[in-house]
Amino acid sequence: RCAICCDLLMTRPFYIFSCTHKFHSDCLAESILPHLPAPRQRRVVELQTVVDTLSRETDNTSMDSRSPVPSKLDQAQAELDDLIAAECLFCGEIMVRNIDK
């Protein structure tokens, strides 16, 4: 189950961290966004829009998954993953910085 919304994990895209915390990608993004610097917040929102748009376009076209070159969708998703899932929301530096707040 997602550690934020408590819904079943397999219902949406999700992340599992080595500490065993689990989050839906949208729950994690929404929770981590306020803790990111403004430029990173803007970039996350931009990438979410790109991923959503390209995902809808990809659903309507066929893709060759054997292509050695990552697609724009893959690149945007990888950058988004790096921004929102670099560390666990509950165990990472973000939580440590906010303990006294």
Side-chain angles (χ1 to χ4, degrees):
R1 293 193 178 266
C2 175
I4 296 171
C5 72
C6 297
D7 285 346
L8 293 174
L9 211 55
M10 299 295 286
T11 59
R12 305 195 300 270
F14 60 91
Y15 297 100
I16 299 177
F17 292 88
S18 59
C19 58
T20 71
H21 284 119
K22 305 166 208 57
F23 307 95
H24 289 120
S25 57
D26 57 321
C27 293
L28 181 61
E30 185 178 323
S31 296
I32 211 161
L33 209 56
H35 301 286
L36 297 176
R40 283 191 168 191
Q41 288 180 8
R42 286 190 297 275
R43 186 62 181 151
V44 166
V45 171
E46 290 170 9
L47 288 167
Q48 286 173 323
T49 303
V50 168
V51 167
D52 289 345
T53 302
L54 291 176
S55 293
R56 280 194 298 276
E57 289 175 5
T58 301
D59 289 344
N60 297 327
T61 61
S62 63
M63 290 190 48
D64 182 3
S65 61
R66 298 170 294 172
S67 174
V69 179
S71 68
K72 288 181 183 179
L73 174 58
D74 292 337
Q75 291 172 352
Q77 186 63 58
E79 186 179 349
L80 184 59
D81 289 344
D82 288 343
L83 289 171
I84 66 170
E87 60 185 49
C88 176
L89 176 65
F90 292 163
C91 301
E93 216 29 60
I94 289 171
M95 183 59 75
V96 171
R97 283 193 312 264
N98 287 295
I99 286 176
D100 292 334
K101 291 185 180 180

